[in-house]
Amino acid sequence: LIVNKPYELAIQPSRKHQNDNLISMISNYYIKKNIATNVHIVTRLDFSTSGIVMVAKSGFIHHLLSKEVIIKKYFAIIKGQMQEKSGIIRLPIRREKEENIKRWVFPDGKMSVTKYQVIYEKENNSLVDVELLTGRTHQIRVHFAYLNHPLIGDKIYGDGSERMCLHCYFVKFNHPIYKKDITITKNPVWLEENKNA
């Protein structure tokens, strides 16, 4: 199952999001469609990130997909203009504090690798195409904030004055049964609305 997750929707149930979360919504969909299975999230997105989420319909397929290389690409709008218009960011990331969700770059963190390409620039911000080569929590957000180019609307690593512009628009994987490459694409609403701007 492929879902286009909207902005500010939690993936899983929590104290704050007991029913308004993606897993609960998919569970309700399964009940309505008489699909007798559990929800197995393959690719996760942050609460404030929109875009493509992969869901396996069985534990066995989830297990097989966990062994596959899944290519994920994102569109992000960052503050300012990058000096290097394309490149690879290699910086280690870990939690700031054990009890805190916030991550940052530390020498003893896990090595995190982000590939990027600037698509276009305006005076105060840039649209960047980003590919995750590792999958750390908040990786894109931390890497660009560390380089003094936080994502527009990022409430943790930026000023958070508007919605965060980070969207998973591309997922490619090898189907574990049919052994065929599957590519899914979906542009963000904010890019469609401003493509002629």
Side-chain angles (χ1 to χ4, degrees), residues 27-41:
S27 294
N28 288 333
Y29 169 80
Y30 284 173
I31 290 167
K32 288 177 185 175
K33 297 290 183 179
N34 293 315
I35 300 171
T37 187
N38 294 321
V39 180
H40 302 273
I41 302 292

Side-chain angles (χ1 to χ4, degrees), residues 137-185:
T137 300
H138 295 180
Q139 178 175 318
I140 295 170
R141 299 163 69 181
V142 170
H143 274 175
F144 283 100
Y146 184 80
L147 298 175
N148 295 315
H149 296 288
L151 271 62
I152 297 293
D154 193 331
K155 293 180 174 66
I156 298 178
Y157 305 101
D159 61 17
S161 58
E162 50 199 299
R163 70 155 290 171
M164 188 170 76
C165 292
L166 180 61
H167 178 91
C168 179
Y169 79 90
F170 177 101
V171 171
K172 182 177 180 181
F173 63 99
N174 188 262
H175 195 288
I177 302 300
Y178 302 117
K179 303 301 179 187
K180 293 181 179 178
D181 283 341
I182 306 291
T183 300
I184 310 292
T185 61

Side-chain angles (χ1 to χ4, degrees), residues 3 12 63 82 101 106 117 119 133 177 184 187 192:
V3 179
Q12 60 194 39
H63 170 72
M82 299 285 290
I101 192 170
F106 293 100
Q117 171 77 49
I119 304 299
L133 302 184
I177 302 300
I184 310 292
N187 282 344
E192 294 294 332

Side-chain angles (χ1 to χ4, degrees), residues 99-111:
E99 69 280 2
N100 197 339
I101 192 170
K102 189 174 182 181
R103 272 74 172 167
W104 199 241
V105 173
F106 293 100
D108 62 341
K110 291 183 179 178
M111 183 49 65

Side-chain angles (χ1 to χ4, degrees), residues 4 6 11 18 29 38-39 41 45-46 48-49 51 62 67 92-93 98 100 102 108 136 139 143 163 172 177 188 194:
N4 183 28
I11 291 279
Q18 293 181 12
Y29 169 80
N38 294 321
V39 180
I41 302 292
L45 295 177
D46 294 338
S48 297
T49 304
H62 191 192
K67 298 183 175 193
I93 295 173
E98 195 57 39
N100 197 339
K102 189 174 182 181
D108 62 341
R136 314 294 180 213
Q139 178 175 318
H143 274 175
R163 70 155 290 171
K172 182 177 180 181
I177 302 300
N194 297 290

Side-chain angles (χ1 to χ4, degrees), residues 28-139:
N28 288 333
Y29 169 80
Y30 284 173
I31 290 167
K32 288 177 185 175
K33 297 290 183 179
N34 293 315
I35 300 171
T37 187
N38 294 321
V39 180
H40 302 273
I41 302 292
V42 178
T43 60
R44 295 178 179 272
L45 295 177
D46 294 338
F47 176 74
S48 297
T49 304
S50 60
I52 300 168
V53 175
M54 288 174 57
V55 183
K57 290 184 178 177
S58 77
F60 176 63
I61 297 297
H62 191 192
H63 170 72
L64 292 180
L65 285 170
S66 71
K67 298 183 175 193
E68 295 287 334
V69 174
I70 299 173
I71 299 171
K72 294 170 66 180
K73 296 182 182 180
Y74 296 74
F75 284 132
I77 298 182
I78 61 171
K79 289 206 165 190
Q81 297 181 2
M82 299 285 290
Q83 190 170 3
E84 299 290 334
K85 305 309 176 189
S86 64
I88 296 178
I89 304 166
R90 289 185 176 87
L91 294 168
I93 295 173
R94 69 163 168 80
R95 286 181 189 266
E96 275 196 342
K97 298 176 182 175
E98 195 57 39
E99 69 280 2
N100 197 339
I101 192 170
K102 189 174 182 181
R103 272 74 172 167
W104 199 241
V105 173
F106 293 100
D108 62 341
K110 291 183 179 178
M111 183 49 65
S112 307
V113 186
T114 304
K115 184 178 179 181
Y116 73 92
Q117 171 77 49
V118 175
I119 304 299
Y120 72 73
E121 298 174 324
K122 291 188 176 180
E123 186 178 345
N124 297 318
N125 56 53
S126 305
L127 175 66
V128 184
D129 188 322
V130 183
E131 181 179 347
L132 285 180
L133 302 184
T134 55
R136 314 294 180 213
T137 300
H138 295 180
Q139 178 175 318

